[in-house]
Amino acid sequence: MVLQFGPGRRSFGARFDPLPAAHRLPRRTKGLDTMIPWLLQKIFGTKHERELKKVRPVVAAINDLEAKMRDLSDDGLRENTVRFKERIGNGEPLDKVLPEAFATCREAGRRVLNMRHFDVQLIGGIVLHRGAIAEMKTGEGKTLVATLPSYLNALEGKGVHIVTVNDYLASRDAEWMGRIHRFLGLSVGTVVHSQSDREKKAAYRCDITYGQNNEFGFDYLRDNMKYSVYDCAQRDLHYAIVDEVDSILIDEARTPLIISGLGETSTHLYNEVTKIVPYLRKDEHYVVDEKAHSVQLTDEGIEEAEQRLKLNNLYDPSHIEELHVLQQCLRAHTLYKRDVNYMVTDDGKVVIIDEFTGRVLPGRRWSDGLHQAVEAKEFVKVQEENRTMATITFQNLFRLYKKLGGMTGTAETEAEELHKIYKLDVVQIPTNKTVQRKDYDDLVYKTEREKFGAVVEEIVDCNERGQPVLVGTVSVEKSEAIS
């Protein structure tokens, strides 16, 4: 923190007092500002402690039913599912059924997977059921926790979506944790890329559906483009449990999912327009706004472009196509970097790189002519332009669910944003045992060279000790530098 004073003011330690002593507040009041909240926390506990105190009686009620559930046969446990559905169908609220449903699911987990839910995992399940975010440290069994609220809410027969960050986890969890649900008489489906409409519809008709966030979003868009409600794959968006919720709902919240169709702009125009971009100078002919991810032509830039393209008026309605292509070409040259935002394959195709994971996204193309502009920039064959047919962001998609819960290892830092946008509260769940792992603070380096040097030293040290290392970077370029 830097403290600055105006001209004529003295620094700390000098005999300078702007107010007479009689007008100054007593020194002890300064400490009261921090002492009062501290005292209130000591008396009433922190927000998380108060939330945990509310659910402790429910956990005790579940534990009281454990012996009863153990005495039941496998068929007896499955009959519980039928009884729960009847009670809910007759108007009994889920919260009344919760202790017995959780106890049933816990016993099924013990029998099927030899995994008994700990008390802290029961707390996490209650938090998820109540439409909040459970912050649980790595290794505390979030995957198993999700079986509790998903079982309870699936009893309504309206469908539960469990959202993961990739197809592998969706398939793995559906097979692994799905054994509990199938044992109890519920159906489990998985939605992954390249499934047929029939397979998608069957997966969404299941009581519990696992899938990746992108797939749920694209299926929603596809359904909105269909002519008949009978052709739609998804049912109403009822309840979702989002894994790695801070990554999906905060980091990727504004990422648009787009379905495109063929446009009408001729591809040769991109090759013609991209030739004049090197003649346009930054800040003189155009201004780049990196935050808004946009480029704006200046008056000088408009004149220069008109001369280069041999046009009288670039903003004439008859030249709207040339103006659009020019703006996309400027974006391609100034905002999109090779081996960071995209890469060019050996067969001359521009492939998008996911900015969050660093992985390539084969088959995906930017819309509105941007992909064609990048292809023209890289002097590869310009494919047919795409036109946006349907689009939605993750933020808007997940706000459509009637109830939403999430789990992650790091949510408290985004608690205010999560509550403001999604009305989701964060509850920190204690660990089952005292944490022995040492969590160190982040290390910050002055230069990228120093940072990479330290990373390499750490990798070498791990390698000498026989410890495998997974190195993740934000671009192909940085991966190659470390490699």
Side-chain angles (χ1 to χ4, degrees):
M1 180 173 68
V2 178
L3 295 174
Q4 292 182 326
F5 292 91
R9 301 293 294 269
R10 300 185 186 183
S11 62
F12 287 120
R15 293 181 182 177
F16 175 73
D17 199 346
L19 290 173
H23 292 206
R24 294 201 306 269
L25 290 170
R27 289 184 182 275
R28 57 195 171 96
T29 58
K30 184 180 177 182
L32 287 176
D33 294 339
T34 55
M35 189 181 293
I36 291 173
W38 179 80
L39 281 172
L40 290 172
Q41 280 193 6
K42 280 291 181 183
I43 296 169
F44 300 107
T46 64
K47 171 180 172 289
H48 300 295
E49 288 170 346
R50 292 194 299 273
E51 289 295 329
L52 294 176
K53 192 174 180 180
K54 292 177 185 176
V55 300
R56 293 286 183 189
V58 183
V59 174
I62 297 167
N63 287 332
D64 290 341
L65 292 165
E66 187 167 16
K68 177 184 174 183
M69 295 302 169
R70 287 204 177 187
D71 291 338
L72 293 175
S73 64
D74 290 353
D75 289 335
L77 274 181
R78 279 189 279 271
E79 285 173 8
N80 278 351
T81 301
V82 178
R83 282 196 291 269
F84 296 152
K85 286 183 176 181
E86 288 177 357
R87 288 164 58 184
I88 292 167
N90 292 329
E92 190 168 344
L94 289 180
D95 287 345
K96 286 283 185 70
V97 182
L98 188 150
E100 293 172 80
F102 274 35
T104 300
C105 189
R106 173 196 256 183
E107 179 59 23
R110 190 185 69 82
R111 296 186 191 186
V112 177
L113 300 178
N114 196 27
M115 299 173 75
R116 175 187 173 275
H117 299 77
F118 298 121
D119 285 1
V120 291
Q121 291 175 317
L122 296 178
I123 294 171
I126 295 166
V127 169
L128 290 175
H129 161 67
R130 293 181 176 177
I133 293 173
E135 182 183 277
M136 303 181 71
K137 289 191 178 293
T138 302
E140 289 298 299
K142 292 189 288 291
T143 309
L144 184 63
V145 168
T147 59
L148 297 164
S150 58
Y151 171 69
L152 173 63
N153 285 268
L155 297 170
E156 290 185 295
K158 298 177 182 178
V160 174
H161 294 171
I162 300 181
V163 186
T164 62
V165 292
N166 59 53
D167 284 347
Y168 164 73
L169 288 176
S171 301
R172 184 204 71 176
D173 294 351
E175 174 59 34
W176 185 22
M177 295 296 144
R179 290 169 61 190
I180 295 176
H181 297 125
R182 293 186 189 97
F183 175 82
L184 292 172
L186 297 181
S187 56
V188 179
T190 314
V191 287
V192 292
H193 185 59
S194 72
Q195 283 179 320
S196 66
D197 285 349
R198 188 176 179 180
E199 290 172 319
K200 287 276 174 91
K201 189 178 288 189
Y204 281 116
R205 292 300 179 273
C206 290
D207 296 306
I208 299 165
T209 307
Y210 286 81
Q212 193 217 7
N213 52 336
N214 287 340
E215 211 56 40
F216 284 116
F218 281 123
D219 287 340
Y220 173 79
L221 293 178
R222 291 186 194 104
D223 280 354
N224 277 273
M225 294 171 64
K226 289 174 179 171
Y227 294 104
S228 171
V229 70
Y230 300 107
D231 295 331
C232 293
Q234 291 183 346
R235 293 184 281 175
D236 290 341
L237 301 180
H238 177 59
Y239 176 48
I241 299 171
V242 183
D243 193 13
E244 302 298 344
V245 66
D246 53 336
S247 173
I248 294 173
L249 296 191
I250 299 296
D251 298 343
E252 300 184 44
R254 304 299 292 274
T255 302
L257 300 174
I258 300 169
I259 292 180
S260 305
L262 290 178
E264 298 174 356
T265 306
S266 56
T267 56
H268 77 275
L269 188 57
Y270 288 95
N271 289 321
E272 291 178 12
V273 173
T274 201
K275 291 175 184 176
I276 76 162
V277 173
Y279 296 101
L280 303 178
R281 292 184 292 276
K282 186 179 178 182
D283 296 330
E284 181 183 348
H285 294 130
Y286 61 86
V287 179
V288 179
D289 187 344
E290 294 192 7
K291 185 177 180 181
H293 220 59
S294 64
V295 182
Q296 190 70 39
L297 282 166
T298 63
D299 291 340
E300 292 82 0
I302 293 168
E303 291 178 10
E304 182 70 20
E306 287 172 345
Q307 290 177 12
R308 296 282 176 185
L309 293 172
K310 296 181 174 58
L311 300 174
N312 293 327
N313 182 4
L314 187 60
Y315 283 86
D316 188 277
S318 61
H319 300 309
I320 194 71
E321 197 173 309
E322 287 86 347
L323 175 62
H324 171 72
V325 171
L326 175 59
Q327 288 174 330
Q328 294 297 57
C329 287
L330 279 172
R331 288 183 67 202
H333 279 262
T334 57
L335 295 170
Y336 290 80
K337 297 178 176 60
R338 183 168 178 165
D339 292 336
V340 176
N341 303 106
Y342 64 90
M343 64 181 292
V344 181
T345 61
D346 294 336
D347 58 350
K349 290 183 179 179
V350 173
V351 184
I352 300 172
I353 296 175
D354 190 323
E355 62 178 308
F356 299 102
T357 64
R359 294 174 179 169
V360 295
L361 302 173
R364 303 271 178 90
R365 291 177 66 83
W366 287 303
S367 64
D368 213 22
L370 178 60
H371 211 99
Q372 285 71 18
V374 174
E375 288 171 334
K377 169 192 169 184
E378 296 294 340
F379 302 106
V380 300
K381 183 181 177 182
V382 179
Q383 306 291 329
E384 290 292 329
E385 184 179 340
N386 290 337
R387 180 168 58 92
T388 298
M389 310 288 285
T391 181
I392 194 170
T393 62
F394 287 123
Q395 185 180 105
N396 291 333
L397 172 68
F398 286 105
R399 287 168 69 180
L400 294 172
Y401 282 88
K402 292 183 176 66
K403 186 165 73 170
L404 186 64
M407 47 191 184
T408 181
T410 51
E412 183 60 24
T413 50
E414 284 91 19
E416 185 178 347
E417 199 171 352
L418 286 163
H419 180 77
K420 185 177 179 181
I421 298 172
Y422 303 98
K423 300 293 184 287
L424 291 172
D425 292 322
V426 176
V427 180
Q428 290 180 330
I429 311 299
T431 55
N432 184 49
K433 292 183 179 179
T434 305
V435 178
Q436 293 182 323
R437 180 182 63 247
K438 293 181 180 179
D439 293 328
Y440 296 103
D441 292 331
D442 292 342
L443 295 175
V444 181
Y445 296 88
K446 290 177 69 176
T447 65
E448 189 175 66
R449 188 180 183 85
E450 290 175 304
K451 180 179 74 171
F452 282 173
V455 169
V456 171
E457 286 177 12
E458 183 72 21
I459 293 169
V460 171
D461 179 57
C462 292
N463 186 259
E464 289 174 351
R465 289 186 278 110
Q467 180 183 356
V469 185
L470 175 64
V471 184
T473 68
V474 296
S475 70
V476 176
E477 187 181 29
K478 287 180 171 52
S479 293
E480 289 176 346
I482 293 175
S483 177

PDB file of all heavy atoms in Angstrom, residues 17-26:
ATOM      1  N   ASP A  17      -0.204  18.119  13.768  1.00  0.00           N
ATOM      2  CA  ASP A  17      -1.518  17.739  14.267  1.00  0.00           C
ATOM      3  C   ASP A  17      -2.552  18.673  13.653  1.00  0.00           C
ATOM      4  O   ASP A  17      -2.606  19.851  14.015  1.00  0.00           O
ATOM      5  CB  ASP A  17      -1.538  17.846  15.790  1.00  0.00           C
ATOM      6  CG  ASP A  17      -2.687  17.031  16.380  1.00  0.00           C
ATOM      7  OD1 ASP A  17      -3.579  16.629  15.618  1.00  0.00           O
ATOM      8  OD2 ASP A  17      -2.673  16.829  17.590  1.00  0.00           O
ATOM      9  N   PRO A  18      -3.359  18.203  12.708  1.00  0.00           N
ATOM     10  CA  PRO A  18      -4.300  19.088  12.010  1.00  0.00           C
ATOM     11  C   PRO A  18      -5.447  19.573  12.871  1.00  0.00           C
ATOM     12  O   PRO A  18      -6.117  20.534  12.534  1.00  0.00           O
ATOM     13  CB  PRO A  18      -4.814  18.228  10.861  1.00  0.00           C
ATOM     14  CG  PRO A  18      -4.643  16.826  11.341  1.00  0.00           C
ATOM     15  CD  PRO A  18      -3.445  16.836  12.221  1.00  0.00           C
ATOM     16  N   LEU A  19      -5.762  18.890  13.989  1.00  0.00           N
ATOM     17  CA  LEU A  19      -6.875  19.282  14.850  1.00  0.00           C
ATOM     18  C   LEU A  19      -6.402  19.513  16.280  1.00  0.00           C
ATOM     19  O   LEU A  19      -5.490  18.832  16.749  1.00  0.00           O
ATOM     20  CB  LEU A  19      -7.944  18.183  14.860  1.00  0.00           C
ATOM     21  CG  LEU A  19      -8.746  17.991  13.587  1.00  0.00           C
ATOM     22  CD1 LEU A  19      -9.618  16.764  13.729  1.00  0.00           C
ATOM     23  CD2 LEU A  19      -9.600  19.210  13.298  1.00  0.00           C
ATOM     24  N   PRO A  20      -7.042  20.439  16.987  1.00  0.00           N
ATOM     25  CA  PRO A  20      -6.725  20.597  18.406  1.00  0.00           C
ATOM     26  C   PRO A  20      -7.080  19.315  19.156  1.00  0.00           C
ATOM     27  O   PRO A  20      -7.959  18.556  18.740  1.00  0.00           O
ATOM     28  CB  PRO A  20      -7.643  21.752  18.854  1.00  0.00           C
ATOM     29  CG  PRO A  20      -8.057  22.438  17.601  1.00  0.00           C
ATOM     30  CD  PRO A  20      -8.045  21.403  16.531  1.00  0.00           C
ATOM     31  N   ALA A  21      -6.419  19.110  20.271  1.00  0.00           N
ATOM     32  CA  ALA A  21      -6.613  17.878  21.040  1.00  0.00           C
ATOM     33  C   ALA A  21      -8.056  17.687  21.470  1.00  0.00           C
ATOM     34  O   ALA A  21      -8.567  16.574  21.515  1.00  0.00           O
ATOM     35  CB  ALA A  21      -5.685  17.891  22.263  1.00  0.00           C
ATOM     36  N   ALA A  22      -8.731  18.769  21.748  1.00  0.00           N
ATOM     37  CA  ALA A  22     -10.116  18.677  22.242  1.00  0.00           C
ATOM     38  C   ALA A  22     -11.061  18.154  21.178  1.00  0.00           C
ATOM     39  O   ALA A  22     -12.123  17.624  21.486  1.00  0.00           O
ATOM     40  CB  ALA A  22     -10.584  20.054  22.708  1.00  0.00           C
ATOM     41  N   HIS A  23     -10.702  18.310  19.902  1.00  0.00           N
ATOM     42  CA  HIS A  23     -11.572  17.888  18.799  1.00  0.00           C
ATOM     43  C   HIS A  23     -11.275  16.486  18.299  1.00  0.00           C
ATOM     44  O   HIS A  23     -11.941  15.998  17.413  1.00  0.00           O
ATOM     45  CB  HIS A  23     -11.431  18.882  17.632  1.00  0.00           C
ATOM     46  CG  HIS A  23     -11.993  20.232  17.969  1.00  0.00           C
ATOM     47  ND1 HIS A  23     -12.464  21.087  17.000  1.00  0.00           N
ATOM     48  CD2 HIS A  23     -12.165  20.876  19.150  1.00  0.00           C
ATOM     49  CE1 HIS A  23     -12.888  22.212  17.565  1.00  0.00           C
ATOM     50  NE2 HIS A  23     -12.698  22.098  18.876  1.00  0.00           N
ATOM     51  N   ARG A  24     -10.201  15.887  18.838  1.00  0.00           N
ATOM     52  CA  ARG A  24      -9.829  14.564  18.350  1.00  0.00           C
ATOM     53  C   ARG A  24     -10.583  13.473  19.089  1.00  0.00           C
ATOM     54  O   ARG A  24     -10.881  13.601  20.274  1.00  0.00           O
ATOM     55  CB  ARG A  24      -8.323  14.336  18.527  1.00  0.00           C
ATOM     56  CG  ARG A  24      -7.459  15.254  17.653  1.00  0.00           C
ATOM     57  CD  ARG A  24      -6.056  14.671  17.473  1.00  0.00           C
ATOM     58  NE  ARG A  24      -5.414  14.376  18.730  1.00  0.00           N
ATOM     59  CZ  ARG A  24      -4.641  15.231  19.406  1.00  0.00           C
ATOM     60  NH1 ARG A  24      -4.442  16.439  18.918  1.00  0.00           N
ATOM     61  NH2 ARG A  24      -4.071  14.861  20.535  1.00  0.00           N
ATOM     62  N   LEU A  25     -10.902  12.373  18.363  1.00  0.00           N
ATOM     63  CA  LEU A  25     -11.557  11.239  19.000  1.00  0.00           C
ATOM     64  C   LEU A  25     -10.566  10.492  19.877  1.00  0.00           C
ATOM     65  O   LEU A  25      -9.373  10.449  19.576  1.00  0.00           O
ATOM     66  CB  LEU A  25     -12.098  10.272  17.939  1.00  0.00           C
ATOM     67  CG  LEU A  25     -13.292  10.784  17.133  1.00  0.00           C
ATOM     68  CD1 LEU A  25     -13.543   9.825  15.975  1.00  0.00           C
ATOM     69  CD2 LEU A  25     -14.521  10.901  17.996  1.00  0.00           C
ATOM     70  N   PRO A  26     -11.015   9.881  20.961  1.00  0.00           N
ATOM     71  CA  PRO A  26     -10.109   9.086  21.799  1.00  0.00           C
ATOM     72  C   PRO A  26      -9.505   7.952  20.989  1.00  0.00           C
ATOM     73  O   PRO A  26     -10.152   7.366  20.134  1.00  0.00           O
ATOM     74  CB  PRO A  26     -11.031   8.539  22.910  1.00  0.00           C
ATOM     75  CG  PRO A  26     -12.244   9.390  22.871  1.00  0.00           C
ATOM     76  CD  PRO A  26     -12.390   9.897  21.489  1.00  0.00           C
TER      77      PRO A  26
END
